C-alpha cells in the first residue's frame, strides 16, 4: 500500500487503516517459520486492540505502565496494540527461562512502578510452576490477554492520544544489573518510520519478513511498528525457528515475496554457511529491496559473503543496506539508501588508533575496512565530538557519535541524572541544543556515518548486547571464595571476524583448596545467566588484573595482555 498519509500516533495509523482497508491482511505468523498459523487483518487487529484496552482499563493499568511477556506469535501484536489504545506504555521483555532472568523481570517491574504483567495463559502458568519459590511472582497482577472477550471491544472509548505520550518502555541491559527503560513516544515511532521510508523508498506492495524477537527494538520496529505505520503486510516467525534452520528466513522471503527484511551480522553469516552446504536451489530473492544489516557494527565480510552466495538466487548487491542506530534514538540514526551500493572505506589501522580516518589502498599494510552506514535520516543531525572536551570534530576525525533530532527518545524512565548526562549533552562551539551521547565511536565521511567501535565496553555476541559488568558480577558469584572485582570480561574476534566472549578470573588458594573446576563452573554460570558460552575462561594469579587506582577493572588493558600473552596465569 502506497500512501502519503503521515499519522501523528500509532493509534491513528491503525484506526485509519482499519477503516480504509479493513480486510487487508496485516500480520501473519508462520508456524515453524514456514506455514501460516494465524493472520490478522487491520480490522481484526483494531477489534482485538480495543478489547485488550478495555481489559487494561479494568485492571487499572490504562495510562500507566505494564510489563509484557510473550513468546513468538500474534498475541504480542494484539497486546501491544491494546496498550497503545489504552494509553499504556508497554515494556516488552524476554520470557524468563532461568532465575537470573526472573530477577531482571522483577527489577523491571519495580522500575516501572506497576505490578501488571501482560502475557498469555500458558506463559503465566509455566513461570509460576517453574519458579514456585519466588514469592514476588505470585504478588504480580497477571493479565492474560489471550482470554480477553473480543465482545468487550464495543466498550472502548477513543481518547485523544498526545503524540508525545510514551508508547513504549524499551528496556536495555543495565551495566550495574539495573535495566534502564528508554521512553519512546508515538511521535518518535511515526517520524522514525517516515524518515526510514524516505531512505528506502516506497514499494507498491511492500512486504516485511522478520524472525527478530519482538521484545528487541529492531524486531519490534521492523516487524510490528513499521507495518502498522505504513499499512503494509508483515510475516513473523520465531527466532528459534530461524536459528535451527536459517534457510527458513530466505524461503519465507521467496514464498511471500518479501521486500523489507533485517538482521545482524551473524544472521547473514549463518545463511552464507547454509548456502555453502545446501546451495540456493529453490530460492528466489529477487523481490528483496532492502536487506538491512544493523544492531551491531556492520562487517563488510558478512555482507559480501552473503551477496556472493545468493547472487544465483536473484539477490542484488545493491539490496544490502548497512545502518547505524540505538534504542535511545528510537532505532535508526543513519541508513544506506535503497538506490545505491553501500560504501566501504579502507583506512590505516595505525591512524585509526590515533583518532584519524586515513584512507589507504585495500592492499596497503595495516589496511582495515570501515563500512559506511549511510547519511543521517531526515530530521536528524549527527556530530562527531571529542568525548572529553565536547568539541565538534572535523570530517575524518574519530570521536563519539552525538545525535540530535526527532527520533531521539525522551530519556530513561526515572533516571534524571543519567538523562542529563546522556540525553542533554551540549557541544562547545557552533552547535546549539541538546544532544544524545551514543557512547559509540566513529567519523563522518562525505556525509556518511562510519562507526568504528564502542566508547563504552559493550560486548556484542551474535547480535546480543552484553555489559561486561553484568558478566563479571555473575563470575564473582560462581564460587563463594571468589572476591569482588576478580574478573574481566571482553570480546575478541576469531579467525572469521566474529566476536567471542573471553573472561579472565583471579583465582586464589581458597578456591584451589576446594578442588573445584572453576573454569567449568564459570562457563556454566555465564551460560545460564546470559545465554552465551564464553569462548575462553582464563584463570590468572591474584592481584594481576589491570585496575585503576580506585579499583576499577581496566578491560582494554586486560584484553591487550590476553592478546599479547603477557597474562600471569594461575
Amino acid at each position: 500500500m502506497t500512501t502519503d498519509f503521515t499519522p501523528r500516533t500509532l493509534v491513528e495509523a491503525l484506526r485509519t487503516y482499519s477503516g480504509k482497508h479493513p480486510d487487508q491482511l496485516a500480520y501473519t505468523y508462520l508456524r515453524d517459520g514456514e506455514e501460516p498459523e494465524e493472520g490478522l487483518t487491520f480490522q481484526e487487529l483494531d477489534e482485538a486492540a480495543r478489547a485488550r484496552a478495555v481489559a487494561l482499563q479494568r485492571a487499572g493499568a490504562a495510562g500507566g505502565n505494564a510489563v509484557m511477556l510473550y513468546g513468538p506469535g500474534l498475541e504480542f501484536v494484539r497486546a501491544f496494540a491494546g496498550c497503545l489504545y489504552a494509553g499504556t506504555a508497554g515494556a516488552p521483555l524476554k520470557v524468563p527461562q532461568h532465575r537470573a532472568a526472573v530477577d531482571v523481570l522483577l527489577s523491571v517491574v519495580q522500575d516501572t512502578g506497576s505490578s501488571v504483567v501482560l502475557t498469555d495463559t500458558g506463559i503465566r502458568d509455566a513461570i509460576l510452576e517453574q519458579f514456585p519459590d519466588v514469592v514476588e511472582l505470585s504478588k504480580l497482577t497477571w493479565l492474560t490477554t489471550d482470554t480477553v472477550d473480543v465482545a468487550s471491544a464495543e466498550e472502548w472509548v477513543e481518547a485523544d492520544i498526545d503524540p508525545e505520550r510514551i508508547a513504549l518502555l524499551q528496556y536495555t541491559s543495565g551495566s550495574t544489573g539495573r535495566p534502564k527503560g528508554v521512553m519512546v513516544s508515538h511521535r518518535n515511532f511515526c517520524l522514525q518510520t517516515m524518515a526510514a521510508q524516505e531512505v528506502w523508498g516506497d514499494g507498491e506492495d511492500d512486504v516485511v519478513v522478520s524472525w527478530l524477537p519482538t521484545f528487541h527494538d529492531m524486531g519490534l520496529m521492523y516487524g510490528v511498528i513499521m507495518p502498522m505505520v505504513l499499512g503494509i503486510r508483515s510475516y513473523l516467525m520465531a527466532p528459534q525457528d530461524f536459528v535451527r534452520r536459517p534457510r527458513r528466513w530466505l524461503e519465507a522471503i521467496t514464498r511471500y515475496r518479501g521486500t523489507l527484511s533485517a538482521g545482524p551480522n551473524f544472521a547473514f553469516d549463518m545463511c552464507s554457511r547454509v548456502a555453502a552446504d545446501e546451495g540456493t536451489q529453490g530460492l528466489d530473492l529477487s523481490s528483496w529491496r532492502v536487506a538491512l544489516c544493523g544492531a551491531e557494527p556492520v562487517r563488510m565480510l558478512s555482507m559480501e559473503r552473503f551477496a556472493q552466495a545468493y547472487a544465483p538466487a536473484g539477490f542484488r548487491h545493491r539490496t544490502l543496506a548497512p545502518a547505524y542506530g540505538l534504542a535511545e534514538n528510537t532505532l535508526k540514526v543513519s541508513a544506506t539508501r535503497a538506490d545505491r551500493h553501500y560504501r566501504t572505506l579502507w583506512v590505516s589501522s595505525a591512524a585509526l588508533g590515533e583518532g584519524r580516518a586515513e584512507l589507504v589502498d585495500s592492499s596497503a599494510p595495516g589496511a582495515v575496512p570501515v563500512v559506511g552506514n549511510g547519511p543521517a535520516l531526515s530530521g536528524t543531525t549527527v556530530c562527531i565530538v571529542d568525548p572529553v572536551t565536547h568539541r565538534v570534530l572535523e570530517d575524518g576525525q574519530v570521536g563519539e557519535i552525538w545525535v540530535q533530532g526527532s527520533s531521539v527518545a525522551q530519556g530513561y524512565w526515572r533516571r534524571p541524572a543519567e538523562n542529563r548526562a546522556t540525553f542533554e549533552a551540549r557541544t562547545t562551539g557552533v552547535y546549539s541544543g541538546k544532544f544524545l551521547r551514543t557512547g559509540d565511536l566513529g567519523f563522518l565521511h562525505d556525509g556518511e556515518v562510519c562507526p568504528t567501535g564502542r566508547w563504552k565496553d559493550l560486548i556484542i555476541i551474535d547480535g546480543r548486547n552484553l555489559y561486561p559488568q553484568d558478566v563479571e558480577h555473575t563470575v564473582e558469584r560462581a564460587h563463594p571464595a571468589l572476591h569482588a572485582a576478580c574478573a574481566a570480561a571482553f570480546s575478541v574476534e576469531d579467525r572469521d571476524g566474529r566476536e567471542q566472549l573471553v573472561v579472565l578470573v583471579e583465582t586464589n588458594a581458597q578456591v584451589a583448596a576446594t578442588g573445584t573446576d572453576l573454569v567449568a563452573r564459570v562457563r556454566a554460570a555465564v551460560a545460564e545467566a546470559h545465554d552465551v558460552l564464553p569462548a575462553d575462561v582464563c584463570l590468572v594469579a591474584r592481584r594481576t588484573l589491570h585496575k585503576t587506582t580506585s579499583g576499577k577493572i581496566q578491560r582494554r588493558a586486560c584484553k591487550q595482555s590476553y592478546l599479547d600473552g603477557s597474562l600471569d596465569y594461575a
Side-chain angles (χ1 to χ4, degrees):
M1 180 188 309
T2 304
T3 177
D4 295 327
F5 168 55
T6 302
R8 297 168 60 251
T9 70
L10 300 180
V11 175
E12 181 184 354
L14 183 50
R15 293 287 286 167
T16 297
Y17 295 127
S18 175
K20 290 184 176 180
H21 309 279
D23 299 323
Q24 179 178 311
L25 190 63
Y27 300 91
T28 301
Y29 177 68
L30 303 177
R31 183 182 67 254
D32 299 326
E34 297 175 8
E35 298 300 324
E37 180 176 271
E38 60 173 335
L40 279 174
T41 66
F42 283 108
Q43 185 178 57
E44 289 169 340
L45 179 55
D46 172 70
E47 184 178 48
R50 287 186 281 122
R52 282 153 183 77
V54 170
L56 283 163
Q57 291 168 351
R58 292 173 178 171
N65 302 327
V67 172
M68 304 181 69
L69 294 180
Y70 290 92
L74 297 188
E75 186 54 36
F76 170 83
V77 180
R78 297 185 186 96
F80 179 69
C83 286
L84 298 174
Y85 278 36
T88 301
L93 295 179
K94 183 179 181 180
V95 176
Q97 301 296 327
H98 45 69
R99 179 54 199 264
V102 171
D103 291 340
V104 171
L105 164 62
L106 296 175
S107 175
V108 170
V109 166
Q110 182 180 26
D111 191 67
T112 63
S114 171
S115 64
V116 176
V117 176
L118 307 183
T119 188
D120 61 45
T121 309
I123 291 175
R124 178 201 61 185
D125 293 348
I127 291 175
L128 294 178
E129 181 179 348
Q130 185 178 356
F131 305 102
D133 57 322
V134 184
V135 295
E136 294 91 342
L137 292 174
S138 62
K139 298 178 182 179
L140 299 177
T141 302
W142 296 89
L143 180 53
T144 53
T145 56
D146 60 325
T147 62
V148 169
D149 182 2
V150 71
S152 63
E154 300 303 320
E155 301 176 31
W156 180 69
V157 177
E158 185 169 6
D160 184 20
I161 300 290
D162 188 332
E164 298 299 335
R165 178 183 283 277
I166 301 172
L168 176 79
L169 288 176
Q170 182 69 64
Y171 274 86
T172 62
S173 299
S175 61
T176 60
R178 294 181 61 214
K180 296 177 291 188
V182 180
M183 300 182 289
V184 188
S185 70
H186 285 261
R187 179 174 179 267
N188 289 146
F189 276 130
C190 292
L191 293 181
Q192 166 90 175
T193 299
M194 303 313 291
Q197 187 188 37
E198 287 182 26
V199 174
W200 295 324
D202 255 337
E204 287 294 330
D205 295 294
D206 268 329
V207 175
V208 170
V209 176
S210 179
W211 56 266
L212 298 166
T214 51
F215 58 79
H216 185 273
D217 54 1
M218 195 174 183
L220 178 63
M221 184 69 194
Y222 296 121
V224 180
I225 301 293
M226 180 177 283
M228 188 179 294
V229 174
L230 298 180
I232 59 180
R233 288 174 291 162
S234 177
Y235 290 87
L236 305 174
M237 67 175 71
Q240 55 265 35
D241 288 334
F242 162 75
V243 172
R244 289 172 187 147
R245 187 169 172 267
R247 188 181 166 99
R248 285 174 171 145
W249 179 28
L250 309 181
E251 289 173 345
I253 292 173
T254 297
R255 187 178 303 118
Y256 302 107
R257 309 312 294 149
T259 63
L260 306 173
S261 198
N265 290 327
F266 83 88
F268 292 94
D269 288 334
M270 291 177 71
C271 289
S272 297
R273 291 193 290 272
V274 167
D277 295 337
E278 303 178 17
T280 62
Q281 188 174 359
L283 296 176
D284 179 2
L285 304 180
S286 60
S287 65
W288 203 349
R289 291 198 311 110
V290 178
L292 178 69
C293 187
E296 57 188 276
V298 178
R299 295 177 59 240
M300 180 194 72
L301 190 58
S302 298
M303 292 189 296
E304 292 301 316
R305 283 175 175 171
F306 182 90
Q308 182 177 1
Y310 289 97
F315 183 83
R316 299 179 299 275
H317 187 276
R318 192 176 63 185
T319 298
L320 294 167
Y324 166 70
L326 65 166
E328 287 83 349
N329 193 62
T330 305
L331 193 59
K332 286 291 159 269
V333 171
S334 67
T336 305
R337 293 187 61 88
D339 60 356
R340 65 188 60 176
H341 293 273
Y342 79 90
R343 177 186 295 180
T344 298
L345 302 174
W346 289 88
V347 300
S348 163
S349 59
L352 203 60
E354 297 172 357
R356 294 178 291 107
E358 182 181 303
L359 300 184
V360 297
D361 188 85
S362 61
S363 60
V368 294
V370 175
V371 173
N373 283 207
L377 298 185
S378 175
T380 295
T381 298
V382 173
C383 290
I384 305 300
V385 179
D386 184 305
V388 177
T389 67
H390 297 185
R391 179 176 60 88
V392 178
L393 303 177
E394 297 178 356
D395 285 10
Q397 291 184 295
V398 178
E400 186 181 4
I401 302 171
W402 285 26
V403 180
Q404 184 183 77
S406 57
S407 287
V408 174
Q410 296 179 0
Y412 298 121
W413 176 256
R414 291 180 173 175
R415 296 286 198 280
E418 291 179 62
N419 286 341
R420 286 191 293 272
T422 303
F423 288 87
E424 301 177 15
R426 294 184 183 273
T427 65
T428 56
V430 297
Y431 288 90
S432 62
K434 301 173 183 177
F435 279 84
L436 164 67
R437 298 189 64 167
T438 68
D440 295 317
L441 295 174
F443 60 90
L444 293 176
H445 179 82
D446 287 347
E448 285 201 53
V449 179
C450 303
T452 58
R454 292 176 290 279
W455 179 254
K456 303 173 186 176
D457 289 321
L458 190 66
I459 298 170
I460 301 177
I461 305 293
D462 285 347
R464 294 186 54 246
N465 294 345
L466 298 175
Y467 280 84
Q469 296 93 331
D470 293 342
V471 177
E472 291 156 4
H473 183 57
T474 297
V475 173
E476 293 166 12
R477 295 184 297 173
H479 192 284
L482 291 176
H483 57 87
C486 70
F490 50 83
S491 64
V492 298
E493 288 190 354
D494 64 13
R495 292 182 178 179
D496 291 327
R498 295 189 298 269
E499 290 199 70
Q500 303 289 320
L501 177 64
V502 173
V503 178
L504 310 183
V505 189
E506 287 184 346
T507 188
N508 53 56
Q510 289 83 357
V511 176
T514 65
T516 301
D517 185 344
L518 186 58
V519 170
R521 182 173 288 195
V522 167
R523 282 184 184 274
V526 173
E528 179 183 0
H530 306 286
D531 294 325
V532 172
L533 189 66
D536 199 3
V537 176
C538 300
L539 303 184
V540 299
R542 182 77 185 271
R543 298 188 180 89
T544 61
L545 287 182
H546 297 284
K547 299 179 183 179
T548 66
T549 54
S550 60
K552 294 181 180 179
I553 298 291
Q554 293 179 307
R555 297 183 187 86
R556 293 186 182 181
C558 290
K559 177 177 179 177
Q560 187 58 46
S561 292
Y562 172 81
L563 293 174
D564 62 26
S566 62
L567 290 173
D568 187 2
Y569 291 96

